[in-house]
Amino acid sequence: MAATIGTSTSRVDGRAKVTGTARYAGEFNVPNLAYAAVVTSTISKGRIARIDIGRARAVEGVLDVLTHDVRPEMGSTDQDYHDDVAPEGGSPFRPLYDEAIRFNYQPIALVLAEDWETAVFATTLVDIEYEEQAFATDLHAGIDAAHAVDKPEKPRGDALKALQGATVRHQADYFIPPEYHNPMELFAATVVWNGDGKLTIYDKTQGVQNVQRYVCGVFGLKPEDVRVISPFVGGAFGSGLRPQYEVVLATLGALHLRRPVRLVLSRAQMYGLGYRPATVERIALAANGRGLDAITYDAIAMTSRYEDFSRNDTGWAEQLYTSANARYTHKLASLDVATPCDMRAPGAASGVYALECAMDELAVALQLDPMELRLRCYSDRDQGAGLPYTSKQLKECYRQGAEAFGWARRNPAPRSMRDGSELLGMGMATGVWEALQVQFASRIVLTANGHAEVSSAASDIGTGTYTVVAQVAADTLGLPIDSVTVKLADSSLPKAPVEGGSWTAASIAHAIVNTAADIRKELLGLAQTMPNTPLGGLKLDDVALVDGMLMARNDRSRAVAVADVMRHGKLDRIEKERSSDFKEDDKHAHNTHSAVFAEVKVDEELGVIRVTRIVNAVAAGRIINTKTAASQIMGGVVWGIGMALQEEALTDHAFGRIMNANIAEYHVPVNADVHDIKVIFVDEPDSVINPLGIKGVGEIGIVGVAAAIANAVYHATGKRVRDLPITLDKLDR
Amino acid sequence: MNNFEYSRATDVADAIRQIAADPAAKFIAGGTNLVDLMKYDVARPARLIDITQLPLKSLEETPDGGVRIGALVPNSDLAYHPLIADRYPLLASAILAGASQQLRNMASTAGNLLQRTRCFYFYDTATPCNKREPGSGCAAIKGINRINAILGTSDACIATHPSDMCVALAALDARVHVTGPAGARSIAFADFHRLPEHSPHIDTTLEPDEIVTAIELPSKGFAKNYSYLKIRDRASYAFALVSVAAALEIDSGRIREARVALGGVAHKPWRRIDAEAALRGEAPDRTVFAKAADILLKGARGYSHNAFKIGLGRRAILRTLTQAANATPQIQSVKKIR
Ligand SMILES: Cc1cc2nc3c(=O)[nH]c(=O)nc-3n(C[C@H](O)[C@H](O)[C@H](O)COP(=O)(O)OP(=O)(O)OC[C@H]3O[C@@H](n4cnc5c(N)ncnc54)[C@H](O)[C@@H]3O)c2cc1C
Ligand code: SF4
């Protein structure tokens, strides 16, 4: 039996998903289910002066209407609403807590009814009077009042002086608009009141145990009384890291009615949740004869008034390139909006966009090939932390990516290449993301019939966790993948943090390797007590589980069948639970890297932009599953196309309303926008990072894509658009 | 969404009787626009009169060589019907430039004519909008108006009519057949949609108690020299920023007949007889196309975010007329602009 790690293995849950048997949070049907619908605010700031639920309550089929002044008890301290992913400090939003309106689309009433249609109808009959206050939702207007975040990276040299003295420099502001999550699955929770005071909660989330702790905090419940389950997630990308208000309100309804309640938010209501914050990235670069000599970088992002959400936009510029002088600031503008949240490669998607466009502009100023400039300031150490990487094959990404793309064919002059009526542009960018790891636990139950069940509270948000867990377990236990069952995303299973930061594959693989080692250890102990044991004198590391046998690694003839060992030990099953014994490694930097190459064609007369080719060459350690990993990168690239050309929440700042809060007018790429995408995984052995040399691939795929496209648009047209998205009207300005 | 009654109309006379009896009722055909508007609480019909069972689904040739299209013919069927695909490819092309396959399967011919604007404010009941709530004001004029109109606007409304199909129908000089309590009448396409003026809540000249029964195309189909070009923010499934339907008849190197209609720029498909007259009798070249474009865009006015449509519109007109003259029409499944 060949190892499955490193192969192209189809998703073990693929069939369930395409045949509809995979169930999502809003699809669990239980008897006596009541339906909830939410009324959201239409102002950005103020208070509810009066809320009249009389007309709504009078509707036949309406069970009740809950508001801040008619509802069951909820926690009254910030700590009660804290969750694992909440920003430090601040005061987490409390749904339906009081009369204050902090942002537009804030939930202010919950209708509970016998059916969904009645609930939705009754929401239109809740009469609200507001006392509105002056508000601000525009980042540009809030820049002057922005406050510093107290974690700027440490400066090097004297960047301002170096900039002033430089002969070649480039300075510009880059803008990323607010971008909203639009996962296919809407936010939903089904909360089952079990009669005995216990709740079973099906929620769309990236972390069932985070939601469990949070719900216990909000409602003063005991962990043993709250079980949170989320077996499948139809896309989350960071939007499900923090518990969202659907779970609070559905729980509130269930506790109030003492019966099961389902709440599915509408797509428009999703625009009242988190989002990628708008940022202004102000970058100045200076060059000397060799390459980069100075960087100043000021990032200004939007956040809410009640929490400081910040991600490290400037950190990527800090670590990536050699530059003797560097200085960074990071500021937040507090606005009357909901707190932003993580969105695929938070900080990097935005920060690297700006950095890599600025590098392109510097290369133009230096009359240097943009890839050559990057190679000149290539660094084998994290420039900020001054640490070596556990592995970094970025040079290979540049080389293999450029070759596959045909970068050598590029004529450096803008507007110099064309294909009939279209101008042709080629651009490139570097991508970088973290290779994070955290503590995960897993349980394995091996049965004598040669089957294993692996379980963990970890989530699979669509990335392929079920599949990689099955692969790692199959390989470490010496079983075919079909003999492994995987159970995930149930808070009663072994401990796992949220699925985020691209850390799950590496971390859970580590936990499984450890748990499987415990099983091997028990089997070896038993085997060595068998008469005429062939494994006498061998240590744990000397044996492996292969093809249902426990065998000596260096002598395949010394082996016994696992089934025989278990029979000998009179065992039907062996059950072990272990964590990854991951330790903070402060001697190295841990990152994934990529080189992205983009080809665009721009109709010269009309400015219509098409992204005709993308090559994304990625160095991300050992790839467990080339198929699911390539899908992650491809998905990231498609998102990058959207980020470059389409995505933007259009807020009317006079009303504080997002005017395109729907999937028809908030544009993301459709099939016709996506052409040739080639994903390359560069070989990157890494014996330092973890036992299997695994990094993550969930986020690196988007990083750099928007910059490569923007740089290609410049190369095609000679026009530099720094405000995303690059719509055709901006080429005309 | 509000609570509503639902009934089915058995024939055209029954449909008219039902709608005349209940001024707060609405016909429902494919429902692809009306149901969305109801979900957003923008349309609150007290009754839905389902007209999908009416015998308005046929497509026939008329005695004078034209084609009569039943009001309930689905957009997809219309686009792929051999009579349309062969003789009126401009119409087929415009339909296929719109929406998505699934929507076109559901959408009806009359529903497409009567779809309402996509102006963002029209859909958000938390904002003022004269079209939705007469007298409340127009938030778009000073707001986010990138998709709004540049021609024929008023101080009360700068919305566009979003249809692609209607741009081709306007260019083809279609007629709209309607029936009401007072009997049947037919309306020239140019007179069917109206400009916003002071009453933007009224989109068309159809009376509230009338039903559209058919669209009639005259015999001239411009099957040789035509093109429909739609410029939008993504390659498919987006409304037009600007679209152009161009149809020419070229004889011995001279333009004998010309039609140009614009979409995405006004409250109705935008045509100017004088622009077409300027093309007639001329050799088809960019100089004369530019002249026609200038006439078509005469009086265009840009607002804070949509002034780009003026230049874009001009270039799109030039390009589409060039495509038509060269008999290289834009093919909707090919995203490169020819
Ligand atoms: C996401 C999305 C994208 C779209 N993109 C495009 C696009 O790119 N281009 C484009 O052209 N269109 C587009 N459309 C619009 C689509 O073409 C229209 O929604 C459709 O044509 C409406 O037809 P229907 O039969 O579904 O109308 P319905 O929704 O049933 O009705 C629309 C209106 O017409 C009235 N009505 C219907 N039939 C009659 C009749 N016989 N007599 C009198 N009144 C009648 C109804 O009362 C209602 O007011 C899009 C729609 C959506 C939802
Ligand atoms: S342009 Fe017309 S539809 Fe849009 S807000 Fe103004 S009045 Fe309403």
Side-chain angles (χ1 to χ4, degrees), chain B residues 117 119 121-122 128-131 138-140 148 156-159:
Chain B
T117 186
C119 174
Y121 299 89
F122 180 65
C129 165
N130 286 326
K131 188 181 274 300
C138 171
N148 290 64
C157 178
I158 59 169

Side-chain angles (χ1 to χ4, degrees), chain A residues 42 121 124 419 421-422 603 605 608 646 650-652 655 657 659 662 664 667-668 673 727-729 732, chain B residues 1 3 40-41 120-121 124 126 128 144 146 231 233-236 286 308 312 315-316 319 335-337:
Chain A
T42 55
F121 166 57
T124 65
D419 174 9
S421 53
E422 291 177 313
D603 186 273
E605 186 172 30
V608 174
Q646 298 167 348
L650 297 164
T651 304
D652 184 323
F655 301 101
R657 302 280 292 173
M659 298 316 302
N662 61 72
H667 287 171
V668 298
D673 294 308
T727 48
L728 53 79
D729 47 314
D732 199 20
Chain B
M1 188 183 270
N3 261 339
Y40 283 104
D41 228 18
F120 299 147
Y121 299 89
D124 187 351
I144 295 172
R146 186 168 172 275
I231 312 296
D233 280 324
R234 62 181 168 193
S236 175
R286 282 180 76 93
F308 75 95
L312 179 66
R315 283 173 275 131
R319 187 68 160 270
K335 300 306 171 185
K336 178 178 170 138
I337 298 172

Side-chain angles (χ1 to χ4, degrees), chain A residues 662-665, chain B residues 19 25-37 43 48-49 51-52 54 56 71-72 75 94-95 97-100 103-104 106-116 118 123 161-166 178 192 206-208 210-214 228 230 232 234 236-240:
Chain A
N662 61 72
I663 195 77
E665 302 292 356
Chain B
I19 199 120
K26 279 225 157 273
F27 294 133
I28 183 160
T32 60
N33 188 219
L34 183 55
V35 174
D36 275 0
L37 289 167
L48 287 184
I49 305 167
I51 56 171
T52 56
L54 301 190
L56 304 173
L72 289 169
N75 289 179
I95 293 171
S100 66
L103 283 159
R104 295 193 298 264
M106 285 302 289
S108 66
T109 303
N112 195 310
L113 261 58
L114 290 157
Q115 65 173 298
R116 309 213 62 192
R118 307 307 290 201
Y123 280 78
H161 190 263
S163 169
D164 291 296
M165 182 178 100
C166 290
V178 310
F192 187 76
L206 185 77
E207 294 297 329
E210 285 180 317
I211 185 169
V212 175
T213 53
Y228 185 75
K230 178 176 182 180
R232 51 192 142 178
R234 62 181 168 193
S236 175
Y237 201 40
F239 289 94

